[in-house]
Every structure is written in structure tokens, then in C-alpha cells.
Amino acid sequence: MHNSGKERKEKNENRSRELPVTKNEDVEFSREWADEDDLEALARAEAADERAGS
């Protein structure tokens, strides 16, 4: 049985209330402190920027 639009909306609103509240933080990247995962993420981000023409 499929949920009605109203039931889906209520379910999504309930899920939203359960999400943790966070704050955005600016962080400075340092190659000195970077581990392998950080360097891989940096390479992926740079490749994505290049593909996007940035």
C-alpha cells in the first residue's frame, strides 16, 4: 500500500526533527597535517574543479 502525499510529508517532517543540529566551521587545510584520505579528497576536488572549468 502506498503512502498518500500527506503521510509522506508528515514522515519527512518527523525525520527532519530527528536530525542533529550542527554548525558550519571554516577550517584551514594544511598539507603538513593532511593524511592520505585528505590528499585523495583534495585531488578529487581539484579534478572536479577542472572538469567544471573553475
Side-chain angles (χ1 to χ4, degrees):
M1 184 167 140
H2 294 287
N3 290 337
S4 70
K6 182 178 179 181
E7 289 172 334
R8 281 192 303 265
K9 183 178 179 182
E10 288 174 359
K11 187 175 182 180
N12 287 337
E13 287 174 354
N14 289 337
R15 281 187 190 156
S16 294
R17 288 186 207 121
E18 295 170 6
L19 295 174
V21 176
T22 62
K23 63 179 183 175
N24 294 329
E25 294 183 37
D26 289 332
V27 293
E28 186 174 325
F29 178 79
S30 170
R31 285 190 185 269
E32 178 183 347
W33 291 96
D35 63 12
E36 187 177 326
D37 290 336
D38 294 328
L39 296 175
E40 182 181 326
L42 178 62
R44 285 195 317 270
E46 289 173 348
D49 287 345
E50 204 171 299
R51 287 190 305 273
S54 300

